[in-house]
Amino acid sequence: MGAVLGQLLPLAVGVAVSPVPIIATILMLLSDRARTTSLGFAGGWLVGIVVATVVFALLGGVVTDSQDDPSTSRATIEIVLGVLLLVVGLRQWRDRRAEHDTPAWMKTIDHMTVAKSAGLGFALAAINPKNLIMCAAAGVAIGGADLTSGGTVVSIAVFAILAASTVALPVLGYLLAADRLRGPLDKLESWLRAHNTAVMSVLVLVIGVTLIGKGVGALG
């Protein structure tokens, strides 16, 4: 299981440092309904990561079990996912200096209900292409490994906790020390808005190259 966890770590970091959900979390923590919306968002974000990872772990297990050479199938899937991440990363890097309008949902955060914030968290985790691809790669790595049921559960849990940490920790910190965090959160939100595209595009490119290299190495 140690080898699988090693594969999951960079993917979990890739999901964790995704700027959009972090910005959304900060905006919710600075809103009038900070406690309820941020808790709903964090819960939806975590559930979305778990659902996407579990689905692809099951698919990865089915695909590899149905092939005579499961390592080849797993390597091919990793290469495809790596190429997809490269495409996303290159597109982001190309557009990093372009002006982007604030998403409409960010303007409605002050009025969001718990249900809407939870749905938003789930969508950003399980439907957003970048995060979905990384959850898919994690699921394939878990499903394609020869793990026991307990090992599979532990691997998914570790990945989900690490991937959700950058959303969950600010929420927990706010619940414990709201007044102290307002200033730092405001500064972090401004920095992320200014640099989020460049940071995420570089990270996505690195993870994409890593997946391709791993897949090519396995095929060789």
Side-chain angles (χ1 to χ4, degrees), residues 24-34 36-37 104-114 116-117 120 182:
T25 302
I26 294 172
L27 291 176
M28 289 179 187
L29 292 175
L30 297 174
S31 70
D32 295 335
R33 302 179 180 179
T36 55
T37 55
W105 57 263
M106 281 191 179
K107 300 175 182 178
T108 65
I109 281 179
D110 281 337
H111 309 290
M112 274 191 179
T113 62
V114 176
K116 287 183 178 179
S117 64
L120 175 63
R182 287 187 179 274

Side-chain angles (χ1 to χ4, degrees), residues 60-96:
V62 170
V63 170
T64 54
D65 288 345
S66 64
Q67 302 295 321
D68 294 333
D69 188 358
S71 61
T72 299
S73 300
R74 187 164 59 251
T76 302
I77 293 172
E78 288 171 343
I79 292 173
V80 171
L81 293 173
V83 170
L84 289 174
L85 281 176
L86 281 183
V87 171
V88 172
L90 289 171
R91 181 175 297 175
Q92 281 194 318
W93 180 258
R94 183 191 61 191
D95 298 337
R96 69 191 183 282

Side-chain angles (χ1 to χ4, degrees), residues 3-215:
V4 175
L5 294 177
Q7 296 175 44
L8 297 180
L9 182 58
L11 296 168
V13 171
V15 177
V17 301
S18 183
V20 172
I22 299 175
I23 292 173
T25 302
I26 294 172
L27 291 176
M28 289 179 187
L29 292 175
L30 297 174
S31 70
D32 295 335
R33 302 179 180 179
R35 293 180 182 273
T36 55
T37 55
S38 63
L39 284 172
F41 183 80
W45 173 250
L46 177 60
V47 170
I49 292 170
V50 171
V51 169
T53 306
V54 168
V55 168
F56 281 97
L58 293 173
L59 290 175
V62 170
V63 170
T64 54
D65 288 345
S66 64
Q67 302 295 321
D68 294 333
D69 188 358
S71 61
T72 299
S73 300
R74 187 164 59 251
T76 302
I77 293 172
E78 288 171 343
I79 292 173
V80 171
L81 293 173
V83 170
L84 289 174
L85 281 176
L86 281 183
V87 171
V88 172
L90 289 171
R91 181 175 297 175
Q92 281 194 318
W93 180 258
R94 183 191 61 191
D95 298 337
R96 69 191 183 282
R97 293 189 178 90
E99 293 290 334
H100 298 286
D101 294 332
T102 301
W105 57 263
M106 281 191 179
K107 300 175 182 178
T108 65
I109 281 179
D110 281 337
H111 309 290
M112 274 191 179
T113 62
V114 176
K116 287 183 178 179
S117 64
L120 175 63
F122 183 90
L124 289 177
I127 300 176
N128 178 275
K130 297 186 297 294
N131 294 328
L132 179 59
I133 293 171
M134 285 186 276
C135 288
V140 169
I142 295 169
D146 188 19
L147 298 175
T148 63
S149 298
T152 299
V153 171
V154 170
S155 297
I156 293 173
V158 169
F159 173 76
I161 290 171
L162 291 175
S165 61
T166 49
V167 168
L169 289 177
V171 173
L172 293 175
Y174 182 89
L175 294 177
L176 297 174
D179 294 336
R180 294 182 182 179
L181 286 179
R182 287 187 179 274
L185 286 175
D186 194 36
K187 292 179 181 179
L188 177 59
E189 189 266 339
S190 298
W191 188 89
L192 287 172
R193 280 184 181 272
H195 303 287
N196 76 86
T197 303
V199 170
M200 197 62 203
S201 59
V202 171
L203 183 64
V204 167
L205 287 170
V206 171
I207 294 175
V209 170
T210 300
L211 282 174
I212 293 172
K214 183 174 178 296

